[in-house]
Amino acid sequence: MSEQNGTVVIGAGPAGLTAAYELLRHGRSVQVFEADEVVGGISRTVERDGWRFDIGGHRFFTKVPRVEAFWHEILPDEDFLTRPRMSRIFYRGALFNYPLSAMNALRNLGLPEAVRCLGSYARARLRPPKDQSHFEGWVSARFGWRLYSIFFKTYTEKVWGMPADRLQADWAAQRIKNLSLATAIRNALVPRRRRTDVTSLIEEFQYPKYGPGMMWERCAEQVRERGGQLSTGSWVTAVHRDPARRRAISVTVNGAGGQRTEAADHVISSMPISELVTALHPPAPPEVLACAADLRYRDFLTVALVVPAEFSFPDNWIYVHDPGVRVGRIQNFGSWSPYLVKDGRTCLGLEYFVFEDDEMWRTPDADLVALATAELERLGLVRPDVVEAGYVVRMPKAYPVYDERYQHNVDVIRAWLTEAVPNVHPVGRNGMHRYNNQDHSMLTAMLTAENIATGSTHDVWSVNVEQDYHEESSGGDSRRGTGRDAPVVPSRIIAAPITLPEGADERAPVAAPPSHA
């Protein structure tokens, strides 16, 4: 069928804007509707009073050449910085290397604790946990209980807001691939040139000098320059379908100009797939609606605090494993780019992982700034009374939750969409309810645009199926895929999250939603 009405793209994050740009490259007409007033989604750069900061950290690193080429087509090379990758773990006032270095960890722990950790590891080797199907048992078997409790347990539970023994082990297995305390110690002693069995993380990455939002703001400009229509503050409330023709035929949009209906030959959706299902008219069958209602999301808030530059640190971020504070991770935006901060100052972003109905989500900004300031001081990372300003950014539905029913729910929804409305195309992280990084989201959009424009039959759902960690440099591993999946967590725990003294997100360094790369 030849295109008459063009393609409607729902959402102007990385997936939506990439889809629009690629369709225009093929000469197709495009309308993009973004509910927010700004583009970029979770990859935006927030600006407040001249300070810029990410919603989490966004390392521009990819194994996908066409994504790399896209980035540099949108922004010239001079707009990219090459930044060193550095992140550490904060525990009991000390900073531990991440990935874990055996010698650094044992030195920071001190001899008595190091001996206890080694003894705990020996016990785990002699009598490994019987149940290694969950995160706690799997990691304890490879590091011993004491090291697990120090470096894995607290942060993981902050991220997901549930006990670590409720997380499935398969995600840990892919994030700590081939690694145990024994291999960590051996790698500390064996010359680097002989280390071939454990993959390592990338050492540097690209970064737009004014933040990731710079990429998507410029992409939005180019979409408009190339003839595409892009409307912000425009919420798609309905996707109308013709059951007889098995097609979506139009969308209803609410915006500043009121409500209107736009015809569409194709709809590319990066909105949460649960919301897409409920937006379809006539409604989906009850079993499909039930699956959509059963999908859940993890929400995210950042408290950005302005402090003197003397309190900067070289890390992009620090993971906070102290159970006495709620903050899970602290960004140093000055380490991402000097263009994000001001001379003589830096901006530290304290990240909290929450559910949208949590009390913390509803806490006023001033109270959150006060909480974050107190926690930063309690950790000893700044002196009292040095915080000069604070800003709060809330990001709902930052991460899809991967409970024990999510895969079934997505499979049911996907099968019904394929049968009932094959011209509706879910893309991106929330659009597919999959743990896609920025480049994965972009690739799903590229392949979808190609399918629409050329009639190709790329399987978009095969993107991000590899078990390797996305930011690993594996020395020639050519297996198919670009990233990794996420943990499976029991839905009953998500439905009634526990209350943790340290709070409840992408995130243990080894098992968490990462850096939205």
Side-chain angles (χ1 to χ4, degrees), residues 71-105:
W71 286 337
H72 288 273
E73 183 175 335
I74 299 299
L75 291 179
D77 290 350
E78 57 266 25
D79 282 340
F80 284 95
L81 306 176
T82 299
R83 306 301 292 168
R85 183 197 193 281
M86 183 176 182
S87 52
R88 288 177 291 176
I89 296 168
F90 184 89
Y91 177 74
R92 290 186 178 177
L95 288 167
F96 294 76
N97 293 340
Y98 174 66
L100 292 177
S101 162
M103 296 299 102
N104 167 264

Coordinates of all heavy atoms in Angstrom, one line a residue, residues 71-105:
W71 N 24.7 9.5 15.4 CA 25.1 10.5 16.3 C 26.0 11.6 15.6 O 25.8 12.8 15.9 CB 25.9 9.9 17.5 CG 25.1 9.1 18.4 CD1 23.8 9.2 18.7 CD2 25.6 8.1 19.3 NE1 23.4 8.3 19.6 CE2 24.4 7.6 20.0 CE3 26.8 7.5 19.5 CZ2 24.5 6.6 21.0 CZ3 26.9 6.5 20.4 CH2 25.8 6.0 21.2
H72 N 26.9 11.2 14.8 CA 27.8 12.1 14.2 C 27.3 12.8 13.0 O 27.8 13.8 12.5 CB 29.2 11.4 13.9 CG 30.0 11.1 15.1 ND1 30.8 12.0 15.7 CD2 30.0 10.0 15.9 CE1 31.3 11.5 16.8 NE2 30.8 10.3 17.0
E73 N 26.2 12.3 12.5 CA 25.4 13.0 11.4 C 24.6 14.1 12.0 O 24.5 15.2 11.4 CB 24.5 12.0 10.7 CG 23.7 12.6 9.6 CD 22.9 11.6 8.8 OE1 23.3 10.4 8.8 OE2 21.9 12.0 8.2
I74 N 24.1 13.9 13.2 CA 23.3 15.0 13.9 C 24.2 16.1 14.5 O 23.9 17.3 14.3 CB 22.5 14.3 15.0 CG1 21.5 13.3 14.5 CG2 21.7 15.4 15.8 CD1 20.5 13.9 13.5
L75 N 25.3 15.7 15.2 CA 26.2 16.7 15.8 C 27.5 16.6 15.1 O 28.1 15.5 14.9 CB 26.3 16.4 17.3 CG 25.1 16.7 18.1 CD1 25.4 16.4 19.6 CD2 24.6 18.2 18.0
P76 N 28.2 17.7 14.9 CA 29.6 17.6 14.3 C 30.5 17.1 15.4 O 30.3 17.2 16.6 CB 29.8 19.1 14.0 CG 28.9 19.9 14.9 CD 27.7 19.1 15.0
D77 N 31.7 16.6 14.9 CA 32.6 16.0 15.8 C 33.1 17.0 16.9 O 33.3 16.6 18.1 CB 33.9 15.6 15.1 CG 33.6 14.4 14.2 OD1 32.5 13.8 14.3 OD2 34.4 14.0 13.3
E78 N 33.1 18.3 16.6 CA 33.6 19.2 17.6 C 32.6 19.4 18.8 O 33.0 20.0 19.8 CB 33.9 20.6 17.0 CG 32.8 21.2 16.3 CD 32.8 20.9 14.8 OE1 33.3 19.9 14.4 OE2 32.2 21.7 14.0
D79 N 31.4 18.9 18.6 CA 30.4 19.0 19.7 C 30.5 17.8 20.7 O 29.8 17.8 21.7 CB 29.0 19.1 19.2 CG 28.7 20.5 18.7 OD1 29.4 21.5 19.1 OD2 27.8 20.7 17.9
F80 N 31.4 16.9 20.4 CA 31.6 15.7 21.2 C 32.9 15.9 22.1 O 33.9 16.3 21.5 CB 31.7 14.4 20.4 CG 30.4 13.9 19.9 CD1 29.9 14.3 18.6 CD2 29.5 13.2 20.7 CE1 28.7 13.8 18.2 CE2 28.3 12.7 20.2 CZ 27.9 13.0 19.0
L81 N 32.8 15.5 23.3 CA 34.0 15.3 24.1 C 34.3 13.8 24.3 O 33.4 13.0 24.3 CB 33.7 15.9 25.5 CG 33.3 17.4 25.6 CD1 33.0 17.8 27.0 CD2 34.3 18.3 25.0
T82 N 35.5 13.5 24.4 CA 35.9 12.1 24.8 C 36.2 12.1 26.3 O 37.1 12.9 26.7 CB 37.2 11.7 24.0 OG1 36.8 11.6 22.6 CG2 37.5 10.2 24.4
R83 N 35.4 11.4 27.0 CA 35.5 11.5 28.5 C 36.0 10.1 29.1 O 35.6 9.1 28.6 CB 34.1 11.8 29.1 CG 33.5 13.0 28.5 CD 34.4 14.2 28.7 NE 34.5 14.6 30.1 CZ 35.4 15.5 30.6 NH1 36.2 16.0 29.8 NH2 35.3 15.8 31.9
P84 N 36.8 10.2 30.1 CA 37.2 8.9 30.8 C 36.0 8.3 31.5 O 35.2 9.0 32.1 CB 38.3 9.3 31.7 CG 38.0 10.8 32.0 CD 37.4 11.3 30.8
R85 N 35.9 7.0 31.5 CA 34.9 6.3 32.3 C 35.5 6.0 33.6 O 36.4 5.3 33.8 CB 34.5 5.0 31.6 CG 33.4 4.3 32.3 CD 33.3 2.8 31.9 NE 32.0 2.2 32.3 CZ 31.8 1.8 33.5 NH1 32.7 1.9 34.4 NH2 30.6 1.3 33.8
M86 N 34.8 6.5 34.7 CA 35.2 6.3 36.0 C 34.0 6.3 37.0 O 33.3 7.2 37.0 CB 36.3 7.3 36.5 CG 36.8 6.9 37.9 SD 38.1 8.1 38.4 CE 38.5 7.4 40.0
S87 N 33.9 5.2 37.7 CA 32.8 5.2 38.7 C 33.4 4.3 39.9 O 34.1 3.3 39.6 CB 31.5 4.6 38.2 OG 31.7 3.4 37.5
R88 N 33.0 4.7 41.1 CA 33.5 3.9 42.3 C 32.3 3.7 43.2 O 31.2 4.3 43.1 CB 34.6 4.7 43.0 CG 35.9 4.6 42.2 CD 37.0 5.4 42.9 NE 36.8 6.8 42.8 CZ 37.6 7.7 43.4 NH1 38.6 7.3 44.1 NH2 37.3 9.0 43.3
I89 N 32.5 2.9 44.2 CA 31.6 2.5 45.2 C 31.9 3.2 46.5 O 33.1 3.1 47.0 CB 31.5 1.0 45.4 CG1 31.0 0.3 44.1 CG2 30.6 0.7 46.6 CD1 31.2 -1.2 44.2
F90 N 31.0 3.9 47.1 CA 31.2 4.6 48.4 C 30.7 3.7 49.5 O 29.5 3.4 49.5 CB 30.6 6.0 48.4 CG 30.8 6.7 49.7 CD1 31.9 7.6 49.8 CD2 30.0 6.6 50.8 CE1 32.2 8.3 51.0 CE2 30.2 7.3 52.0 CZ 31.3 8.2 52.1
Y91 N 31.6 3.3 50.4 CA 31.1 2.4 51.5 C 32.0 2.7 52.8 O 33.2 2.7 52.7 CB 31.3 1.0 51.2 CG 30.9 0.0 52.3 CD1 29.6 -0.2 52.7 CD2 31.9 -0.7 53.0 CE1 29.3 -1.1 53.7 CE2 31.6 -1.6 54.0 CZ 30.3 -1.8 54.3 OH 30.0 -2.6 55.3
R92 N 31.4 3.1 53.9 CA 32.0 3.4 55.1 C 33.1 4.4 55.0 O 34.2 4.3 55.5 CB 32.6 2.1 55.7 CG 31.5 1.1 56.3 CD 32.1 0.0 57.0 NE 31.1 -0.9 57.6 CZ 31.3 -2.0 58.2 NH1 32.6 -2.5 58.3 NH2 30.3 -2.8 58.7
G93 N 32.8 5.4 54.2 CA 33.8 6.5 54.1 C 34.9 6.3 53.1 O 35.8 7.2 52.9
A94 N 34.9 5.1 52.4 CA 36.0 4.8 51.5 C 35.4 4.6 50.1 O 34.3 4.3 49.9 CB 36.8 3.6 51.9
L95 N 36.3 4.8 49.1 CA 35.9 4.7 47.7 C 36.6 3.4 47.2 O 37.8 3.3 47.2 CB 36.3 5.9 46.9 CG 35.4 7.1 47.2 CD1 36.1 8.4 46.6 CD2 34.0 7.0 46.6
F96 N 35.7 2.5 46.7 CA 36.2 1.2 46.1 C 36.1 1.3 44.6 O 35.1 1.8 44.1 CB 35.4 0.1 46.7 CG 35.5 -0.1 48.2 CD1 34.9 0.7 49.1 CD2 36.3 -1.2 48.6 CE1 35.0 0.5 50.4 CE2 36.4 -1.4 50.0 CZ 35.8 -0.5 50.9
N97 N 37.1 0.7 43.9 CA 37.1 0.7 42.5 C 35.9 -0.1 42.0 O 35.4 -1.1 42.6 CB 38.3 0.0 41.9 CG 39.6 0.8 42.2 OD1 39.5 2.0 42.4 ND2 40.7 0.2 42.1
Y98 N 35.3 0.4 40.9 CA 34.3 -0.4 40.2 C 34.6 -0.4 38.7 O 34.7 0.7 38.1 CB 32.8 0.1 40.4 CG 31.8 -0.6 39.5 CD1 31.6 -1.9 39.8 CD2 31.2 0.0 38.5 CE1 30.7 -2.6 39.0 CE2 30.4 -0.7 37.6 CZ 30.1 -2.0 37.9 OH 29.3 -2.7 37.1
P99 N 34.8 -1.6 38.1 CA 34.6 -2.9 38.6 C 35.5 -3.2 39.8 O 36.6 -2.6 39.9 CB 34.9 -3.9 37.5 CG 34.7 -3.0 36.3 CD 35.1 -1.7 36.7
L100 N 35.1 -4.1 40.7 CA 35.8 -4.4 41.9 C 37.2 -4.9 41.6 O 37.5 -5.7 40.7 CB 35.1 -5.5 42.7 CG 33.8 -5.1 43.3 CD1 33.2 -6.3 44.1 CD2 33.9 -3.9 44.3
S101 N 38.2 -4.3 42.3 CA 39.6 -4.7 42.3 C 39.9 -5.3 43.6 O 39.7 -4.7 44.7 CB 40.5 -3.5 42.1 OG 41.8 -3.8 42.4
A102 N 40.3 -6.6 43.6 CA 40.5 -7.3 44.8 C 41.5 -6.6 45.8 O 41.2 -6.5 47.0 CB 41.0 -8.7 44.5
M103 N 42.6 -6.2 45.3 CA 43.6 -5.5 46.2 C 43.0 -4.2 46.8 O 43.2 -3.9 48.0 CB 44.9 -5.3 45.5 CG 45.6 -6.6 45.0 SD 46.0 -7.7 46.4 CE 44.7 -8.9 46.3
N104 N 42.4 -3.4 45.9 CA 41.8 -2.2 46.4 C 40.7 -2.4 47.4 O 40.7 -1.8 48.5 CB 41.2 -1.4 45.2 CG 40.4 -0.2 45.6 OD1 39.1 -0.4 45.6 ND2 40.9 0.9 45.9
A105 N 39.9 -3.4 47.2 CA 38.8 -3.7 48.1 C 39.3 -4.2 49.4 O 38.9 -3.7 50.5 CB 37.8 -4.7 47.5

